[in-house]
């Protein structure tokens, strides 16, 4: 999973806004290239992706801009990487909570190229079936926002109802949509979602995930 955004002069780069000082979105590409920051542009990243046959990628849109979507989609399509890359956005944009994008960006991507794969990160995970039917992403993720205090409270409200969540996951999967969970690093969380039947789990500890999969599957 990587992040993409525009520089000041609309060069698409692999970067999370506000992750450095100065924020590189306020600088031009030429200034960044001549700075201490070693930043990859989108084209270089996609060229690399074409050589990695055994990997798939999520590209997270970090600015709520249709122009960014159009740039990314065209770059993916030009390299025929539609089957390797999922374009990612949040269910909704919430100012102040780091939710930079909106699922409308994914709908716009599909109008440019219907074969583009889209991945929606659920913000309010009360009914993922309803969201899947409304937006028809290729993949839908739950649990990404565990660093947000509000999302932790909301997630705890639904998480204890394991049967209901499991039923929703199965219904979404029957629609041909993948259900992912993450980012989870604690054993209890990982085991919870393995047992819930998700298609994949995002983690910073893949060795532990692999061990738990062998044990609980």
């Amino acid at each position: 999973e990587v992040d993409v955004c525009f520089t000041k002069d609309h060069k698409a780069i692999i970067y999370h806004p506000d992750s450095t000082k100065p924020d590189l979105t306020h600088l031009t590409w030429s200034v960044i290239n001549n700075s201490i920051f070693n930043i990859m542009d989108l084209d270089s990243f996609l060229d690399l992706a074409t050589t990695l046959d055994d990997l798939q990628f999520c590209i997270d849109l970090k600015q709520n801009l249709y122009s960014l979507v159009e740039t990314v989609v065209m770059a993916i399509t030009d390299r025929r990487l539609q089957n390797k890359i999922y374009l990612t956005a949040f269910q909704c944009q919430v100012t102040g909570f780091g939710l930079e994008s909106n699922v409308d960006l994914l709908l716009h991507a599909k109008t440019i190229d219907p074969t583009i794969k889209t991945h929606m990160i659920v913000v309010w995970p009360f009914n993922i079936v309803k969201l899947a039917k409304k937006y028809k992403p290729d993949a839908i993720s739950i649990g990404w926002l565990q660093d947000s205090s509000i999302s932790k409270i909301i997630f705890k409200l639904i998480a204890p109802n394991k049967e209901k969540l499991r039923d929703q996951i199965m219904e979404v999967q029957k629609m041909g949509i993948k259900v992912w969970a993450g980012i989870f690093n604690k054993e209890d969380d990982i085991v919870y979602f393995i047992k819930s039947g998700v298609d994949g789990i995002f983690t910073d500890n893949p060795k532990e995930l692999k061990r738990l999969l062998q044990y609980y599957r």
Side-chain angles (χ1 to χ4, degrees):
E1 186 267 344
V2 299
D3 302 322
V4 66
C5 60
F6 275 145
T7 62
K8 184 178 180 180
D9 56 344
H10 283 75
K11 177 75 170 179
I13 60 173
I14 303 302
Y15 174 75
H16 191 298
D18 293 322
S19 61
T20 63
K21 291 184 179 181
D23 182 356
L24 303 189
T25 62
H26 299 155
L27 304 179
T28 64
W29 177 238
S30 62
V31 169
I32 294 169
N33 257 341
N34 291 301
S35 72
I36 63 171
F37 300 104
N38 186 16
I39 300 296
M40 182 177 283
D41 65 8
L42 175 66
D43 289 328
S44 297
F45 170 75
L46 292 178
D47 289 342
L48 175 63
T50 62
T51 69
L52 302 173
D53 295 334
D54 57 338
L55 295 180
Q56 291 189 322
F57 306 89
C58 290
I59 296 183
D60 193 349
L61 299 162
K62 287 300 179 184
Q63 292 165 322
N64 204 54
L65 300 170
Y66 279 5
S67 55
L68 178 61
V69 175
E70 291 157 6
T71 296
V72 176
V73 170
M74 292 307 298
I76 293 171
T77 301
D78 287 347
R79 294 168 176 80
R80 299 180 181 179
L81 289 171
Q82 292 95 321
N83 289 328
K84 288 178 62 70
I85 292 175
Y86 287 83
L87 205 58
T88 299
F90 290 104
Q91 173 189 347
C92 59
Q93 185 181 23
V94 183
T95 304
F97 285 91
L99 311 186
E100 305 90 347
S101 55
N102 186 298
V103 72
D104 288 342
L105 298 180
L106 303 183
L107 298 177
H108 183 58
K110 288 286 191 181
T111 66
I112 303 168
D113 183 352
T115 67
I116 285 287
K117 289 185 176 182
T118 57
H119 164 219
M120 180 175 72
I121 300 174
V122 176
V123 177
W124 315 118
F126 292 112
N127 191 331
I128 62 172
V129 175
K130 182 178 180 181
L131 293 172
K133 289 179 177 178
K134 181 176 181 180
Y135 296 110
K136 298 179 176 62
D138 295 282
I140 190 167
S141 284
I142 50 180
W144 275 58
L145 306 177
Q146 292 298 290
D147 289 337
S148 162
S149 57
I150 290 179
S151 66
K152 282 182 180 178
I153 294 171
I154 292 172
F155 193 76
K156 285 179 180 178
L157 289 175
I158 67 160
N161 193 340
K162 294 182 181 180
E163 292 301 321
K164 182 177 180 181
L165 180 61
R166 173 62 177 156
D167 289 345
Q168 288 194 42
I169 289 171
M170 291 179 65
E171 188 170 346
V172 171
Q173 290 169 330
K174 288 178 181 177
M175 297 164 58
I177 297 172
K178 295 182 183 297
V179 180
W180 297 332
I183 300 171
F184 292 108
N185 297 313
K186 295 180 180 178
E187 180 174 333
D188 289 347
D189 293 329
I190 293 173
V191 171
Y192 175 87
F193 281 104
I194 291 174
K195 292 182 176 180
S196 297
V198 296
D199 296 290
I201 298 173
F202 289 90
T203 181
D204 298 315
N205 192 356
K207 288 185 178 180
E208 178 67 2
L209 173 59
K210 185 176 180 180
R211 181 186 72 83
L212 293 171
L213 282 170
Q214 291 173 340
Y215 184 81
Y216 286 99
R217 269 191 175 172

Tab-separated table of all heavy atoms in Angstrom, residues 120-173:
chain	number	residue	atom	x	y	z
A	120	MET	N	-12.502	0.496	-1.235
A	120	MET	CA	-13.073	1.488	-0.330
A	120	MET	C	-12.758	1.135	1.115
A	120	MET	O	-13.017	0.020	1.569
A	120	MET	CB	-14.589	1.577	-0.510
A	120	MET	CG	-15.234	2.589	0.414
A	120	MET	SD	-17.000	2.816	0.111
A	120	MET	CE	-17.633	1.276	0.753
A	121	ILE	N	-12.207	2.090	1.861
A	121	ILE	CA	-11.978	1.927	3.291
A	121	ILE	C	-13.216	2.447	4.023
A	121	ILE	O	-13.577	3.619	3.894
A	121	ILE	CB	-10.730	2.697	3.746
A	121	ILE	CG1	-9.488	2.190	3.000
A	121	ILE	CG2	-10.545	2.574	5.247
A	121	ILE	CD1	-8.238	2.989	3.291
A	122	VAL	N	-13.860	1.577	4.773
A	122	VAL	CA	-15.096	1.941	5.462
A	122	VAL	C	-14.780	2.780	6.697
A	122	VAL	O	-13.933	2.414	7.512
A	122	VAL	CB	-15.883	0.684	5.863
A	122	VAL	CG1	-17.117	1.051	6.672
A	122	VAL	CG2	-16.279	-0.103	4.625
A	123	VAL	N	-15.473	3.894	6.830
A	123	VAL	CA	-15.309	4.767	7.991
A	123	VAL	C	-16.318	4.400	9.076
A	123	VAL	O	-15.979	4.266	10.245
A	123	VAL	CB	-15.467	6.245	7.585
A	123	VAL	CG1	-15.381	7.153	8.811
A	123	VAL	CG2	-14.402	6.628	6.558
A	124	TRP	N	-17.571	4.237	8.684
A	124	TRP	CA	-18.640	3.877	9.618
A	124	TRP	C	-19.119	2.463	9.267
A	124	TRP	O	-19.989	2.284	8.429
A	124	TRP	CB	-19.793	4.866	9.541
A	124	TRP	CG	-19.372	6.304	9.504
A	124	TRP	CD1	-19.584	7.199	8.511
A	124	TRP	CD2	-18.657	7.031	10.522
A	124	TRP	NE1	-19.048	8.418	8.825
A	124	TRP	CE2	-18.477	8.349	10.060
A	124	TRP	CE3	-18.151	6.673	11.776
A	124	TRP	CZ2	-17.810	9.318	10.802
A	124	TRP	CZ3	-17.486	7.651	12.516
A	124	TRP	CH2	-17.325	8.943	12.031
A	125	PRO	N	-18.572	1.424	9.903
A	125	PRO	CA	-18.778	0.040	9.451
A	125	PRO	C	-20.030	-0.635	10.025
A	125	PRO	O	-19.992	-1.783	10.431
A	125	PRO	CB	-17.511	-0.653	9.943
A	125	PRO	CG	-17.167	0.074	11.206
A	125	PRO	CD	-17.595	1.489	11.006
A	126	PHE	N	-21.150	0.068	10.081
A	126	PHE	CA	-22.359	-0.530	10.619
A	126	PHE	C	-22.991	-1.522	9.644
A	126	PHE	O	-23.535	-2.539	10.044
A	126	PHE	CB	-23.376	0.555	10.978
A	126	PHE	CG	-22.946	1.414	12.141
A	126	PHE	CD1	-22.625	2.744	11.950
A	126	PHE	CD2	-22.832	0.876	13.411
A	126	PHE	CE1	-22.220	3.535	13.019
A	126	PHE	CE2	-22.424	1.658	14.485
A	126	PHE	CZ	-22.121	2.995	14.279
A	127	ASN	N	-22.946	-1.198	8.358
A	127	ASN	CA	-23.596	-2.055	7.361
A	127	ASN	C	-22.749	-2.078	6.097
A	127	ASN	O	-22.952	-1.280	5.180
A	127	ASN	CB	-25.005	-1.549	7.057
A	127	ASN	CG	-25.813	-2.549	6.249
A	127	ASN	OD1	-25.269	-3.330	5.479
A	127	ASN	ND2	-27.127	-2.527	6.430
A	128	ILE	N	-21.790	-2.998	6.038
A	128	ILE	CA	-20.903	-3.037	4.876
A	128	ILE	C	-21.620	-3.585	3.648
A	128	ILE	O	-21.207	-3.320	2.523
A	128	ILE	CB	-19.627	-3.846	5.175
A	128	ILE	CG1	-19.931	-5.307	5.497
A	128	ILE	CG2	-18.827	-3.200	6.287
A	128	ILE	CD1	-18.678	-6.170	5.618
A	129	VAL	N	-22.700	-4.326	3.850
A	129	VAL	CA	-23.473	-4.834	2.706
A	129	VAL	C	-24.110	-3.671	1.950
A	129	VAL	O	-24.050	-3.599	0.716
A	129	VAL	CB	-24.557	-5.820	3.177
A	129	VAL	CG1	-25.433	-6.241	2.007
A	129	VAL	CG2	-23.923	-7.038	3.833
A	130	LYS	N	-24.699	-2.758	2.689
A	130	LYS	CA	-25.333	-1.588	2.072
A	130	LYS	C	-24.309	-0.755	1.299
A	130	LYS	O	-24.566	-0.296	0.185
A	130	LYS	CB	-26.006	-0.733	3.148
A	130	LYS	CG	-26.748	0.481	2.620
A	130	LYS	CD	-27.432	1.241	3.749
A	130	LYS	CE	-28.166	2.459	3.226
A	130	LYS	NZ	-28.823	3.206	4.346
A	131	LEU	N	-23.137	-0.570	1.896
A	131	LEU	CA	-22.085	0.208	1.239
A	131	LEU	C	-21.591	-0.497	-0.023
A	131	LEU	O	-21.342	0.144	-1.046
A	131	LEU	CB	-20.924	0.431	2.202
A	131	LEU	CG	-21.206	1.327	3.405
A	131	LEU	CD1	-20.027	1.300	4.374
A	131	LEU	CD2	-21.489	2.757	2.960
A	132	ALA	N	-21.454	-1.819	0.050
A	132	ALA	CA	-20.989	-2.581	-1.106
A	132	ALA	C	-21.976	-2.484	-2.261
A	132	ALA	O	-21.587	-2.338	-3.426
A	132	ALA	CB	-20.776	-4.037	-0.716
A	133	LYS	N	-23.262	-2.555	-1.951
A	133	LYS	CA	-24.288	-2.455	-2.987
A	133	LYS	C	-24.335	-1.056	-3.601
A	133	LYS	O	-24.558	-0.899	-4.799
A	133	LYS	CB	-25.658	-2.806	-2.401
A	133	LYS	CG	-25.838	-4.281	-2.074
A	133	LYS	CD	-27.218	-4.541	-1.482
A	133	LYS	CE	-27.428	-6.027	-1.210
A	133	LYS	NZ	-28.749	-6.296	-0.579
A	134	LYS	N	-24.108	-0.043	-2.774
A	134	LYS	CA	-24.203	1.341	-3.249
A	134	LYS	C	-23.025	1.732	-4.128
A	134	LYS	O	-23.200	2.337	-5.192
A	134	LYS	CB	-24.308	2.299	-2.062
A	134	LYS	CG	-24.436	3.765	-2.461
A	134	LYS	CD	-24.627	4.647	-1.231
A	134	LYS	CE	-24.783	6.115	-1.645
A	134	LYS	NZ	-24.971	6.988	-0.444
A	135	TYR	N	-21.809	1.368	-3.703
A	135	TYR	CA	-20.614	1.857	-4.389
A	135	TYR	C	-19.940	0.821	-5.281
A	135	TYR	O	-19.108	1.176	-6.110
A	135	TYR	CB	-19.616	2.394	-3.363
A	135	TYR	CG	-20.139	3.592	-2.611
A	135	TYR	CD1	-20.483	3.508	-1.268
A	135	TYR	CD2	-20.315	4.814	-3.253
A	135	TYR	CE1	-20.972	4.613	-0.577
A	135	TYR	CE2	-20.803	5.928	-2.579
A	135	TYR	CZ	-21.131	5.809	-1.241
A	135	TYR	OH	-21.610	6.896	-0.563
A	136	LYS	N	-20.250	-0.460	-5.076
A	136	LYS	CA	-19.733	-1.546	-5.912
A	136	LYS	C	-18.208	-1.499	-6.089
A	136	LYS	O	-17.687	-1.565	-7.213
A	136	LYS	CB	-20.421	-1.530	-7.281
A	136	LYS	CG	-21.928	-1.751	-7.222
A	136	LYS	CD	-22.552	-1.712	-8.600
A	136	LYS	CE	-24.026	-2.026	-8.534
A	136	LYS	NZ	-24.810	-1.046	-7.722
A	137	PRO	N	-17.457	-1.419	-4.986
A	137	PRO	CA	-15.997	-1.489	-5.114
A	137	PRO	C	-15.576	-2.925	-5.406
A	137	PRO	O	-16.357	-3.864	-5.237
A	137	PRO	CB	-15.510	-1.037	-3.733
A	137	PRO	CG	-16.594	-1.511	-2.809
A	137	PRO	CD	-17.884	-1.341	-3.577
A	138	ASP	N	-14.353	-3.098	-5.822
A	138	ASP	CA	-13.820	-4.447	-6.012
A	138	ASP	C	-13.357	-5.044	-4.689
A	138	ASP	O	-13.285	-6.266	-4.542
A	138	ASP	CB	-12.660	-4.418	-7.009
A	138	ASP	CG	-13.136	-4.005	-8.396
A	138	ASP	OD1	-13.710	-4.849	-9.095
A	138	ASP	OD2	-12.940	-2.827	-8.751
A	139	ALA	N	-13.039	-4.168	-3.729
A	139	ALA	CA	-12.649	-4.610	-2.387
A	139	ALA	C	-13.110	-3.565	-1.384
A	139	ALA	O	-13.194	-2.373	-1.694
A	139	ALA	CB	-11.134	-4.804	-2.292
A	140	ILE	N	-13.414	-4.044	-0.184
A	140	ILE	CA	-13.880	-3.150	0.873
A	140	ILE	C	-13.138	-3.520	2.157
A	140	ILE	O	-12.968	-4.700	2.461
A	140	ILE	CB	-15.416	-3.269	1.041
A	140	ILE	CG1	-15.968	-2.191	1.956
A	140	ILE	CG2	-15.837	-4.652	1.489
A	140	ILE	CD1	-17.494	-2.085	1.892
A	141	SER	N	-12.637	-2.507	2.870
A	141	SER	CA	-11.843	-2.757	4.070
A	141	SER	C	-12.545	-2.240	5.308
A	141	SER	O	-13.170	-1.179	5.287
A	141	SER	CB	-10.477	-2.069	3.974
A	141	SER	OG	-9.612	-2.776	3.123
A	142	ILE	N	-12.397	-2.987	6.405
A	142	ILE	CA	-12.924	-2.559	7.695
A	142	ILE	C	-11.797	-2.563	8.714
A	142	ILE	O	-10.900	-3.381	8.663
A	142	ILE	CB	-14.067	-3.483	8.173
A	142	ILE	CG1	-13.647	-4.959	8.079
A	142	ILE	CG2	-15.325	-3.232	7.362
A	142	ILE	CD1	-14.713	-5.927	8.539
A	143	GLY	N	-11.841	-1.573	9.607
A	143	GLY	CA	-10.885	-1.553	10.704
A	143	GLY	C	-9.639	-0.729	10.501
A	143	GLY	O	-8.773	-0.708	11.362
A	144	TRP	N	-9.521	-0.024	9.390
A	144	TRP	CA	-8.292	0.732	9.106
A	144	TRP	C	-8.066	1.888	10.066
A	144	TRP	O	-6.968	2.375	10.205
A	144	TRP	CB	-8.329	1.288	7.682
A	144	TRP	CG	-7.866	0.338	6.646
A	144	TRP	CD1	-8.382	-0.907	6.393
A	144	TRP	CD2	-6.807	0.503	5.717
A	144	TRP	NE1	-7.712	-1.500	5.369
A	144	TRP	CE2	-6.740	-0.660	4.933
A	144	TRP	CE3	-5.910	1.540	5.472
A	144	TRP	CZ2	-5.802	-0.821	3.917
A	144	TRP	CZ3	-4.976	1.386	4.457
A	144	TRP	CH2	-4.927	0.214	3.689
A	145	LEU	N	-9.118	2.332	10.703
A	145	LEU	CA	-9.034	3.598	11.437
A	145	LEU	C	-8.869	3.400	12.931
A	145	LEU	O	-9.372	4.151	13.736
A	145	LEU	CB	-10.284	4.439	11.161
A	145	LEU	CG	-10.557	4.666	9.674
A	145	LEU	CD1	-11.839	5.447	9.492
A	145	LEU	CD2	-9.400	5.376	9.010
A	146	GLN	N	-8.145	2.370	13.342
A	146	GLN	CA	-7.993	2.091	14.759
A	146	GLN	C	-7.193	3.162	15.502
A	146	GLN	O	-7.248	3.225	16.728
A	146	GLN	CB	-7.327	0.729	14.949
A	146	GLN	CG	-8.209	-0.429	14.508
A	146	GLN	CD	-9.494	-0.519	15.304
A	146	GLN	OE1	-9.491	-0.860	16.473
A	146	GLN	NE2	-10.601	-0.193	14.679
A	147	ASP	N	-6.469	3.996	14.782
A	147	ASP	CA	-5.728	5.070	15.440
A	147	ASP	C	-6.627	6.241	15.823
A	147	ASP	O	-6.234	7.102	16.590
A	147	ASP	CB	-4.609	5.589	14.525
A	147	ASP	CG	-3.485	4.568	14.383
A	147	ASP	OD1	-3.366	3.716	15.275
A	147	ASP	OD2	-2.760	4.634	13.385
A	148	SER	N	-7.847	6.260	15.283
A	148	SER	CA	-8.800	7.323	15.598
A	148	SER	C	-9.634	6.906	16.808
A	148	SER	O	-10.210	5.825	16.831
A	148	SER	CB	-9.713	7.576	14.399
A	148	SER	OG	-10.875	8.270	14.791
A	149	SER	N	-9.723	7.758	17.820
A	149	SER	CA	-10.481	7.422	19.029
A	149	SER	C	-11.957	7.226	18.715
A	149	SER	O	-12.619	6.355	19.284
A	149	SER	CB	-10.303	8.518	20.086
A	149	SER	OG	-10.711	9.776	19.577
A	150	ILE	N	-12.493	8.036	17.806
A	150	ILE	CA	-13.904	7.904	17.440
A	150	ILE	C	-14.158	6.567	16.755
A	150	ILE	O	-15.112	5.857	17.071
A	150	ILE	CB	-14.343	9.068	16.530
A	150	ILE	CG1	-14.392	10.369	17.327
A	150	ILE	CG2	-15.718	8.786	15.913
A	150	ILE	CD1	-14.792	11.568	16.526
A	151	SER	N	-13.286	6.194	15.825
A	151	SER	CA	-13.486	4.942	15.101
A	151	SER	C	-13.320	3.741	16.027
A	151	SER	O	-13.968	2.710	15.854
A	151	SER	CB	-12.530	4.831	13.918
A	151	SER	OG	-11.196	4.735	14.351
A	152	LYS	N	-12.449	3.855	17.041
A	152	LYS	CA	-12.284	2.762	17.999
A	152	LYS	C	-13.583	2.507	18.741
A	152	LYS	O	-14.006	1.365	18.948
A	152	LYS	CB	-11.171	3.093	18.990
A	152	LYS	CG	-9.766	2.900	18.467
A	152	LYS	CD	-8.753	3.217	19.553
A	152	LYS	CE	-7.330	3.033	19.037
A	152	LYS	NZ	-6.331	3.379	20.072
A	153	ILE	N	-14.237	3.586	19.152
A	153	ILE	CA	-15.506	3.447	19.875
A	153	ILE	C	-16.554	2.808	18.982
A	153	ILE	O	-17.264	1.869	19.375
A	153	ILE	CB	-15.985	4.825	20.368
A	153	ILE	CG1	-15.022	5.369	21.426
A	153	ILE	CG2	-17.403	4.722	20.939
A	153	ILE	CD1	-15.289	6.799	21.815
A	154	ILE	N	-16.652	3.293	17.750
A	154	ILE	CA	-17.648	2.759	16.817
A	154	ILE	C	-17.362	1.302	16.511
A	154	ILE	O	-18.273	0.463	16.492
A	154	ILE	CB	-17.661	3.586	15.521
A	154	ILE	CG1	-18.193	4.994	15.812
A	154	ILE	CG2	-18.523	2.923	14.453
A	154	ILE	CD1	-18.082	5.945	14.665
A	155	PHE	N	-16.093	0.984	16.280
A	155	PHE	CA	-15.749	-0.397	15.935
A	155	PHE	C	-16.064	-1.348	17.086
A	155	PHE	O	-16.527	-2.462	16.873
A	155	PHE	CB	-14.286	-0.507	15.543
A	155	PHE	CG	-13.946	-1.810	14.887
A	155	PHE	CD1	-14.308	-2.035	13.563
A	155	PHE	CD2	-13.313	-2.808	15.583
A	155	PHE	CE1	-14.018	-3.238	12.957
A	155	PHE	CE2	-13.018	-4.017	14.981
A	155	PHE	CZ	-13.374	-4.235	13.660
A	156	LYS	N	-15.833	-0.913	18.321
A	156	LYS	CA	-16.133	-1.751	19.476
A	156	LYS	C	-17.625	-2.001	19.622
A	156	LYS	O	-18.047	-3.016	20.169
A	156	LYS	CB	-15.559	-1.126	20.744
A	156	LYS	CG	-14.046	-1.266	20.859
A	156	LYS	CD	-13.512	-0.623	22.121
A	156	LYS	CE	-11.994	-0.775	22.203
A	156	LYS	NZ	-11.437	-0.124	23.409
A	157	LEU	N	-18.423	-1.065	19.128
A	157	LEU	CA	-19.873	-1.241	19.195
A	157	LEU	C	-20.351	-2.383	18.297
A	157	LEU	O	-21.319	-3.073	18.613
A	157	LEU	CB	-20.588	0.058	18.797
A	157	LEU	CG	-20.488	1.213	19.793
A	157	LEU	CD1	-21.132	2.460	19.203
A	157	LEU	CD2	-21.147	0.845	21.118
A	158	ILE	N	-19.672	-2.587	17.152
A	158	ILE	CA	-20.101	-3.628	16.226
A	158	ILE	C	-19.282	-4.904	16.347
A	158	ILE	O	-19.776	-5.990	16.070
A	158	ILE	CB	-20.058	-3.138	14.765
A	158	ILE	CG1	-18.606	-2.896	14.323
A	158	ILE	CG2	-20.913	-1.915	14.545
A	158	ILE	CD1	-18.439	-2.880	12.827
A	159	ALA	N	-18.034	-4.773	16.792
A	159	ALA	CA	-17.146	-5.938	16.812
A	159	ALA	C	-17.632	-7.089	17.682
A	159	ALA	O	-17.470	-8.246	17.302
A	159	ALA	CB	-15.739	-5.509	17.236
A	160	PRO	N	-18.237	-6.829	18.869
A	160	PRO	CA	-18.679	-7.959	19.687
A	160	PRO	C	-19.731	-8.832	19.008
A	160	PRO	O	-19.877	-9.999	19.345
A	160	PRO	CB	-19.252	-7.283	20.936
A	160	PRO	CG	-18.553	-5.972	21.006
A	160	PRO	CD	-18.404	-5.559	19.567
A	161	ASN	N	-20.470	-8.266	18.060
A	161	ASN	CA	-21.507	-9.038	17.378
A	161	ASN	C	-20.869	-9.800	16.222
A	161	ASN	O	-21.004	-9.450	15.054
A	161	ASN	CB	-22.612	-8.114	16.876
A	161	ASN	CG	-23.855	-8.881	16.458
A	161	ASN	OD1	-23.795	-10.085	16.194
A	161	ASN	ND2	-24.959	-8.197	16.388
A	162	LYS	N	-20.152	-10.857	16.566
A	162	LYS	CA	-19.360	-11.577	15.575
A	162	LYS	C	-20.232	-12.239	14.506
A	162	LYS	O	-19.866	-12.272	13.331
A	162	LYS	CB	-18.496	-12.622	16.276
A	162	LYS	CG	-17.437	-12.025	17.185
A	162	LYS	CD	-16.571	-13.106	17.814
A	162	LYS	CE	-15.525	-12.500	18.732
A	162	LYS	NZ	-14.672	-13.525	19.358
A	163	GLU	N	-21.367	-12.752	14.913
A	163	GLU	CA	-22.234	-13.439	13.954
A	163	GLU	C	-22.756	-12.470	12.902
A	163	GLU	O	-22.786	-12.790	11.711
A	163	GLU	CB	-23.390	-14.124	14.681
A	163	GLU	CG	-22.971	-15.299	15.549
A	163	GLU	CD	-22.271	-16.389	14.742
A	163	GLU	OE1	-22.708	-16.648	13.603
A	163	GLU	OE2	-21.286	-16.960	15.239
A	164	LYS	N	-23.161	-11.292	13.342
A	164	LYS	CA	-23.678	-10.296	12.402
A	164	LYS	C	-22.592	-9.854	11.427
A	164	LYS	O	-22.832	-9.731	10.218
A	164	LYS	CB	-24.220	-9.082	13.158
A	164	LYS	CG	-24.830	-8.021	12.253
A	164	LYS	CD	-25.408	-6.873	13.059
A	164	LYS	CE	-26.005	-5.815	12.138
A	164	LYS	NZ	-26.556	-4.674	12.918
A	165	LEU	N	-21.385	-9.620	11.949
A	165	LEU	CA	-20.287	-9.203	11.088
A	165	LEU	C	-19.933	-10.306	10.103
A	165	LEU	O	-19.718	-10.047	8.913
A	165	LEU	CB	-19.065	-8.840	11.927
A	165	LEU	CG	-17.825	-8.386	11.151
A	165	LEU	CD1	-18.139	-7.125	10.351
A	165	LEU	CD2	-16.662	-8.125	12.110
A	166	ARG	N	-19.887	-11.545	10.586
A	166	ARG	CA	-19.577	-12.682	9.719
A	166	ARG	C	-20.618	-12.809	8.607
A	166	ARG	O	-20.273	-13.036	7.442
A	166	ARG	CB	-19.527	-13.965	10.555
A	166	ARG	CG	-19.386	-15.255	9.746
A	166	ARG	CD	-18.095	-15.277	8.959
A	166	ARG	NE	-17.927	-16.543	8.253
A	166	ARG	CZ	-17.195	-16.707	7.178
A	166	ARG	NH1	-16.542	-15.678	6.659
A	166	ARG	NH2	-17.083	-17.868	6.591
A	167	ASP	N	-21.884	-12.638	8.944
A	167	ASP	CA	-22.952	-12.722	7.937
A	167	ASP	C	-22.791	-11.640	6.879
A	167	ASP	O	-22.984	-11.884	5.676
A	167	ASP	CB	-24.325	-12.602	8.596
A	167	ASP	CG	-24.686	-13.834	9.422
A	167	ASP	OD1	-24.028	-14.878	9.257
A	167	ASP	OD2	-25.623	-13.736	10.244
A	168	GLN	N	-22.429	-10.429	7.325
A	168	GLN	CA	-22.237	-9.333	6.376
A	168	GLN	C	-21.048	-9.610	5.454
A	168	GLN	O	-21.116	-9.351	4.248
A	168	GLN	CB	-22.020	-8.017	7.130
A	168	GLN	CG	-23.267	-7.477	7.793
A	168	GLN	CD	-23.080	-6.035	8.233
A	168	GLN	OE1	-22.505	-5.226	7.508
A	168	GLN	NE2	-23.566	-5.721	9.415
A	169	ILE	N	-19.973	-10.113	6.028
A	169	ILE	CA	-18.785	-10.430	5.220
A	169	ILE	C	-19.139	-11.444	4.142
A	169	ILE	O	-18.782	-11.289	2.965
A	169	ILE	CB	-17.649	-10.953	6.117
A	169	ILE	CG1	-17.093	-9.808	6.969
A	169	ILE	CG2	-16.524	-11.573	5.278
A	169	ILE	CD1	-16.121	-10.241	8.042
A	170	MET	N	-19.858	-12.497	4.527
A	170	MET	CA	-20.224	-13.536	3.570
A	170	MET	C	-21.131	-12.986	2.476
A	170	MET	O	-20.982	-13.348	1.297
A	170	MET	CB	-20.911	-14.691	4.294
A	170	MET	CG	-19.982	-15.496	5.199
A	170	MET	SD	-20.835	-16.834	6.052
A	170	MET	CE	-21.295	-17.875	4.668
A	171	GLU	N	-22.053	-12.111	2.840
A	171	GLU	CA	-22.969	-11.552	1.835
A	171	GLU	C	-22.218	-10.681	0.832
A	171	GLU	O	-22.487	-10.726	-0.372
A	171	GLU	CB	-24.068	-10.741	2.518
A	171	GLU	CG	-25.166	-10.305	1.553
A	171	GLU	CD	-26.376	-9.724	2.242
A	171	GLU	OE1	-26.512	-9.889	3.465
A	171	GLU	OE2	-27.201	-9.096	1.544
A	172	VAL	N	-21.271	-9.884	1.327
A	172	VAL	CA	-20.468	-9.047	0.432
A	172	VAL	C	-19.612	-9.922	-0.479
A	172	VAL	O	-19.488	-9.657	-1.685
A	172	VAL	CB	-19.593	-8.072	1.242
A	172	VAL	CG1	-18.603	-7.349	0.330
A	172	VAL	CG2	-20.460	-7.061	1.972
A	173	GLN	N	-19.039	-10.962	0.049
A	173	GLN	CA	-18.217	-11.872	-0.753
A	173	GLN	C	-19.030	-12.547	-1.847
A	173	GLN	O	-18.524	-12.780	-2.954
A	173	GLN	CB	-17.553	-12.907	0.160
A	173	GLN	CG	-16.473	-12.327	1.042
A	173	GLN	CD	-15.997	-13.288	2.116
A	173	GLN	OE1	-16.757	-14.140	2.584
A	173	GLN	NE2	-14.751	-13.161	2.540
